CSV table of all heavy atoms in Angstrom, one decimal:
chain,number,residue,atom,x,y,z
A,1,THR,N,10.7,-17.5,9.2
A,1,THR,CA,10.3,-18.3,10.3
A,1,THR,C,9.3,-17.4,11.1
A,1,THR,O,9.4,-16.2,11.2
A,1,THR,CB,11.4,-18.8,11.2
A,1,THR,OG1,10.8,-19.6,12.3
A,1,THR,CG2,12.2,-17.7,11.7
A,2,LEU,N,8.2,-18.1,11.7
A,2,LEU,CA,7.3,-17.4,12.6
A,2,LEU,C,7.5,-18.0,14.0
A,2,LEU,O,6.8,-17.5,14.9
A,2,LEU,CB,5.9,-17.7,12.2
A,2,LEU,CG,5.5,-17.1,10.8
A,2,LEU,CD1,4.1,-17.5,10.4
A,2,LEU,CD2,5.5,-15.6,10.8
A,3,THR,N,8.3,-18.9,14.2
A,3,THR,CA,8.5,-19.6,15.6
A,3,THR,C,9.8,-19.3,16.2
A,3,THR,O,9.9,-19.1,17.4
A,3,THR,CB,8.3,-21.1,15.4
A,3,THR,OG1,9.2,-21.6,14.4
A,3,THR,CG2,6.9,-21.4,14.9
A,4,ASP,N,10.9,-19.2,15.4
A,4,ASP,CA,12.3,-19.0,16.0
A,4,ASP,C,12.5,-17.5,16.2
A,4,ASP,O,13.2,-16.9,15.5
A,4,ASP,CB,13.3,-19.6,15.2
A,4,ASP,CG,14.7,-19.7,15.7
A,4,ASP,OD1,14.8,-19.4,16.9
A,4,ASP,OD2,15.7,-20.1,15.1
A,5,VAL,N,11.8,-17.0,17.3
A,5,VAL,CA,11.9,-15.6,17.5
A,5,VAL,C,13.2,-15.0,17.8
A,5,VAL,O,13.3,-13.7,17.7
A,5,VAL,CB,10.9,-15.2,18.6
A,5,VAL,CG1,9.4,-15.7,18.2
A,5,VAL,CG2,11.3,-15.9,19.9
A,6,ALA,N,14.2,-15.8,18.1
A,6,ALA,CA,15.6,-15.3,18.5
A,6,ALA,C,16.4,-15.3,17.2
A,6,ALA,O,17.6,-14.7,17.5
A,6,ALA,CB,16.2,-16.1,19.6
A,7,SER,N,16.0,-15.7,16.1
A,7,SER,CA,16.8,-15.8,15.0
A,7,SER,C,16.8,-14.5,14.1
A,7,SER,O,15.7,-13.8,14.1
A,7,SER,CB,16.4,-17.0,14.1
A,7,SER,OG,15.2,-16.8,13.7
A,8,PRO,N,17.9,-14.2,13.3
A,8,PRO,CA,17.7,-13.1,12.4
A,8,PRO,C,16.6,-13.4,11.3
A,8,PRO,O,16.1,-12.4,10.8
A,8,PRO,CB,19.1,-13.2,11.6
A,8,PRO,CG,20.0,-13.8,12.7
A,8,PRO,CD,19.0,-14.8,13.4
A,9,GLU,N,16.3,-14.6,11.0
A,9,GLU,CA,15.2,-14.9,10.1
A,9,GLU,C,13.9,-14.4,10.4
A,9,GLU,O,13.2,-13.9,9.7
A,9,GLU,CB,15.2,-16.3,9.7
A,9,GLU,CG,16.4,-16.9,8.9
A,9,GLU,CD,17.6,-17.1,9.8
A,9,GLU,OE1,17.5,-17.1,11.0
A,9,GLU,OE2,18.6,-17.3,9.2
A,10,PHE,N,13.7,-14.4,11.8
A,10,PHE,CA,12.4,-13.9,12.4
A,10,PHE,C,12.3,-12.4,12.2
A,10,PHE,O,11.2,-11.9,11.9
A,10,PHE,CB,12.3,-14.3,13.8
A,10,PHE,CG,11.0,-14.0,14.4
A,10,PHE,CD1,9.8,-14.5,14.1
A,10,PHE,CD2,10.9,-12.9,15.3
A,10,PHE,CE1,8.6,-14.1,14.7
A,10,PHE,CE2,9.8,-12.4,15.9
A,10,PHE,CZ,8.6,-13.1,15.6
A,11,VAL,N,13.5,-11.7,12.4
A,11,VAL,CA,13.5,-10.3,12.2
A,11,VAL,C,13.1,-10.0,10.8
A,11,VAL,O,12.4,-9.0,10.4
A,11,VAL,CB,14.9,-9.7,12.6
A,11,VAL,CG1,14.9,-8.2,12.3
A,11,VAL,CG2,15.1,-9.9,14.1
A,12,GLY,N,13.7,-10.7,9.9
A,12,GLY,CA,13.5,-10.5,8.5
A,12,GLY,C,11.9,-10.7,8.1
A,12,GLY,O,11.4,-10.1,7.3
A,13,THR,N,11.4,-11.7,8.7
A,13,THR,CA,9.9,-12.0,8.6
A,13,THR,C,9.1,-10.9,9.0
A,13,THR,O,8.1,-10.5,8.4
A,13,THR,CB,9.6,-13.3,9.2
A,13,THR,OG1,10.4,-14.5,8.7
A,13,THR,CG2,8.1,-13.6,8.9
A,14,LEU,N,9.5,-10.3,10.2
A,14,LEU,CA,8.8,-9.2,10.7
A,14,LEU,C,8.8,-8.0,9.7
A,14,LEU,O,7.8,-7.3,9.6
A,14,LEU,CB,9.3,-8.8,12.1
A,14,LEU,CG,9.0,-9.6,13.3
A,14,LEU,CD1,9.6,-9.1,14.6
A,14,LEU,CD2,7.4,-10.0,13.5
A,15,ILE,N,10.0,-7.8,9.2
A,15,ILE,CA,10.2,-6.6,8.3
A,15,ILE,C,9.4,-6.8,7.0
A,15,ILE,O,8.5,-6.0,6.5
A,15,ILE,CB,11.6,-6.4,8.0
A,15,ILE,CG1,12.3,-5.9,9.3
A,15,ILE,CG2,11.7,-5.3,6.9
A,15,ILE,CD1,13.8,-5.8,9.2
A,16,THR,N,9.6,-8.0,6.4
A,16,THR,CA,9.0,-8.2,5.0
A,16,THR,C,7.6,-8.6,5.1
A,16,THR,O,6.7,-8.0,4.3
A,16,THR,CB,9.9,-9.3,4.3
A,16,THR,OG1,9.7,-10.6,5.0
A,16,THR,CG2,11.1,-8.9,4.0
A,17,LEU,N,7.2,-9.6,5.9
A,17,LEU,CA,5.8,-9.9,6.0
A,17,LEU,C,4.9,-9.0,6.8
A,17,LEU,O,3.8,-8.6,6.4
A,17,LEU,CB,5.7,-11.4,6.5
A,17,LEU,CG,4.2,-11.9,6.7
A,17,LEU,CD1,3.6,-12.0,5.2
A,17,LEU,CD2,4.3,-13.3,7.2
A,18,GLY,N,5.5,-8.6,8.0
A,18,GLY,CA,4.9,-7.6,8.8
A,18,GLY,C,4.6,-6.3,8.3
A,18,GLY,O,3.5,-5.8,8.0
A,19,LEU,N,5.8,-5.6,8.2
A,19,LEU,CA,5.9,-4.2,7.7
A,19,LEU,C,5.4,-4.1,6.3
A,19,LEU,O,4.6,-3.3,5.8
A,19,LEU,CB,7.2,-3.5,8.0
A,19,LEU,CG,7.5,-3.2,9.4
A,19,LEU,CD1,8.9,-2.6,9.5
A,19,LEU,CD2,6.6,-2.2,10.0
A,20,GLY,N,6.2,-4.9,5.4
A,20,GLY,CA,6.0,-4.8,4.0
A,20,GLY,C,4.6,-5.2,3.5
A,20,GLY,O,4.0,-4.3,2.8
A,21,VAL,N,4.3,-6.4,3.8
A,21,VAL,CA,3.0,-6.9,3.2
A,21,VAL,C,1.8,-6.4,4.1
A,21,VAL,O,0.9,-5.8,3.6
A,21,VAL,CB,3.0,-8.5,3.1
A,21,VAL,CG1,1.7,-9.0,2.6
A,21,VAL,CG2,4.1,-8.8,2.2
A,22,CYS,N,1.8,-6.8,5.4
A,22,CYS,CA,0.6,-6.5,6.3
A,22,CYS,C,0.5,-5.0,6.3
A,22,CYS,O,-0.7,-4.5,6.5
A,22,CYS,CB,0.8,-7.1,7.6
A,22,CYS,SG,0.7,-8.9,7.6
A,23,GLY,N,1.7,-4.3,6.4
A,23,GLY,CA,1.5,-2.8,6.5
A,23,GLY,C,1.4,-2.0,5.4
A,23,GLY,O,0.4,-1.4,5.1
A,24,PHE,N,2.5,-1.9,4.6
A,24,PHE,CA,2.6,-1.0,3.5
A,24,PHE,C,1.9,-1.5,2.2
A,24,PHE,O,1.3,-0.6,1.5
A,24,PHE,CB,4.0,-0.7,3.1
A,24,PHE,CG,4.7,0.3,4.1
A,24,PHE,CD1,5.4,-0.2,5.2
A,24,PHE,CD2,4.5,1.7,4.0
A,24,PHE,CE1,5.9,0.7,6.2
A,24,PHE,CE2,5.1,2.6,4.8
A,24,PHE,CZ,5.7,2.0,6.0
A,25,LEU,N,1.7,-2.7,2.0
A,25,LEU,CA,0.9,-3.2,0.9
A,25,LEU,C,-0.6,-2.9,1.2
A,25,LEU,O,-1.3,-2.5,0.3
A,25,LEU,CB,1.1,-4.7,0.6
A,25,LEU,CG,0.3,-5.3,-0.5
A,25,LEU,CD1,0.6,-4.6,-1.8
A,25,LEU,CD2,0.6,-6.8,-0.7
A,26,ALA,N,-1.0,-3.1,2.4
A,26,ALA,CA,-2.4,-2.7,2.8
A,26,ALA,C,-2.6,-1.1,2.7
A,26,ALA,O,-3.7,-0.7,2.2
A,26,ALA,CB,-2.6,-3.0,4.3
A,27,TRP,N,-1.6,-0.4,3.0
A,27,TRP,CA,-1.8,1.0,2.8
A,27,TRP,C,-1.8,1.3,1.3
A,27,TRP,O,-2.6,2.2,1.0
A,27,TRP,CB,-0.6,1.8,3.3
A,27,TRP,CG,-0.4,3.2,3.0
A,27,TRP,CD1,-1.0,4.3,3.5
A,27,TRP,CD2,0.4,3.7,1.9
A,27,TRP,NE1,-0.6,5.4,2.8
A,27,TRP,CE2,0.2,5.1,1.8
A,27,TRP,CE3,1.2,3.2,0.8
A,27,TRP,CZ2,0.7,6.0,0.8
A,27,TRP,CZ3,1.8,4.0,-0.1
A,27,TRP,CH2,1.6,5.4,-0.1
A,28,ALA,N,-1.0,0.7,0.5
A,28,ALA,CA,-1.1,1.0,-1.0
A,28,ALA,C,-2.4,0.5,-1.5
A,28,ALA,O,-2.9,1.3,-2.3
A,28,ALA,CB,0.0,0.2,-1.6
A,29,GLU,N,-2.9,-0.6,-1.1
A,29,GLU,CA,-4.3,-0.9,-1.5
A,29,GLU,C,-5.4,0.0,-1.2
A,29,GLU,O,-6.2,0.3,-2.1
A,29,GLU,CB,-4.6,-2.4,-1.0
A,29,GLU,CG,-6.1,-2.9,-1.5
A,29,GLU,CD,-6.4,-4.1,-0.8
A,29,GLU,OE1,-5.6,-4.8,-0.1
A,29,GLU,OE2,-7.5,-4.7,-1.0
A,30,HIS,N,-5.3,0.5,0.0
A,30,HIS,CA,-6.3,1.5,0.4
A,30,HIS,C,-6.1,2.8,-0.2
A,30,HIS,O,-7.1,3.5,-0.7
A,30,HIS,CB,-6.3,1.7,2.0
A,30,HIS,CG,-7.2,2.6,2.6
A,30,HIS,ND1,-8.5,2.6,2.5
A,30,HIS,CD2,-7.0,3.9,3.0
A,30,HIS,CE1,-9.1,3.6,3.0
A,30,HIS,NE2,-8.2,4.4,3.3
A,31,ARG,N,-5.0,3.2,-0.4
A,31,ARG,CA,-4.7,4.6,-0.8
A,31,ARG,C,-4.7,4.7,-2.4
A,31,ARG,O,-5.3,5.6,-3.0
A,31,ARG,CB,-3.3,5.1,-0.4
A,31,ARG,CG,-2.9,6.5,-1.0
A,31,ARG,CD,-3.8,7.5,-0.5
A,31,ARG,NE,-4.0,7.6,0.9
A,31,ARG,CZ,-4.9,8.3,1.5
A,31,ARG,NH1,-5.7,9.1,0.8
A,31,ARG,NH2,-4.9,8.3,2.9
A,32,TRP,N,-4.2,3.7,-3.1
A,32,TRP,CA,-4.0,3.7,-4.5
A,32,TRP,C,-5.0,2.9,-5.2
A,32,TRP,O,-5.2,3.0,-6.5
A,32,TRP,CB,-2.6,3.3,-5.0
A,32,TRP,CG,-1.5,4.1,-4.5
A,32,TRP,CD1,-1.6,5.4,-4.2
A,32,TRP,CD2,-0.1,3.7,-4.4
A,32,TRP,NE1,-0.4,5.9,-3.8
A,32,TRP,CE2,0.6,5.0,-3.9
A,32,TRP,CE3,0.6,2.6,-4.5
A,32,TRP,CZ2,1.9,4.9,-3.6
A,32,TRP,CZ3,1.9,2.6,-4.3
A,32,TRP,CH2,2.6,3.8,-3.8
A,33,GLY,N,-5.7,2.0,-4.5
A,33,GLY,CA,-6.6,0.9,-5.2
A,33,GLY,C,-5.9,-0.4,-5.5
A,33,GLY,O,-4.6,-0.4,-5.5
A,34,ARG,N,-6.7,-1.4,-5.6
A,34,ARG,CA,-6.1,-2.7,-5.8
A,34,ARG,C,-5.2,-2.8,-7.0
A,34,ARG,O,-4.1,-3.4,-6.9
A,34,ARG,CB,-7.1,-3.8,-5.7
A,34,ARG,CG,-8.0,-3.9,-4.5
A,34,ARG,CD,-9.1,-4.8,-4.6
A,34,ARG,NE,-10.1,-4.5,-3.4
A,34,ARG,CZ,-11.2,-5.1,-3.4
A,34,ARG,NH1,-11.8,-5.7,-4.3
A,34,ARG,NH2,-12.0,-4.8,-2.4
A,35,PRO,N,-5.6,-2.4,-8.2
A,35,PRO,CA,-4.8,-2.6,-9.3
A,35,PRO,C,-3.4,-2.0,-9.3
A,35,PRO,O,-2.4,-2.6,-9.6
A,35,PRO,CB,-5.6,-2.1,-10.4
A,35,PRO,CG,-7.1,-2.1,-10.0
A,35,PRO,CD,-7.0,-1.9,-8.5
A,36,ARG,N,-3.3,-0.7,-8.7
A,36,ARG,CA,-2.0,-0.1,-8.6
A,36,ARG,C,-1.2,-0.8,-7.5
A,36,ARG,O,0.0,-0.9,-7.7
A,36,ARG,CB,-2.2,1.4,-8.5
A,36,ARG,CG,-0.9,2.2,-8.5
A,36,ARG,CD,-1.3,3.6,-8.2
A,36,ARG,NE,0.0,4.4,-8.2
A,36,ARG,CZ,0.1,5.7,-7.9
A,36,ARG,NH1,-1.0,6.4,-7.6
A,36,ARG,NH2,1.2,6.3,-7.9
A,37,ALA,N,-1.8,-1.1,-6.4
A,37,ALA,CA,-1.1,-1.7,-5.4
A,37,ALA,C,-0.4,-3.1,-5.9
A,37,ALA,O,0.7,-3.4,-5.6
A,37,ALA,CB,-1.9,-1.9,-4.2
């Protein structure tokens, strides 16, 4: 969820979508290149 900020699901969204995809997948794309990421 992106709207129910008080729920555990929102925390999970921040971790997976925020940190995982927006953060570390972007790092992998820049550092390793698109195919490897």
Side-chain angles (χ1 to χ4, degrees):
T1 178
L2 295 173
T3 55
D4 191 2
V5 296
S7 66
E9 289 77 13
F10 182 75
V11 176
T13 301
L14 288 180
I15 294 174
T16 57
L17 182 62
L19 285 176
V21 178
C22 296
F24 283 94
L25 181 58
W27 168 82
E29 179 184 353
H30 175 71
R31 177 59 58 189
W32 296 337
R34 296 172 196 170
R36 187 177 176 189

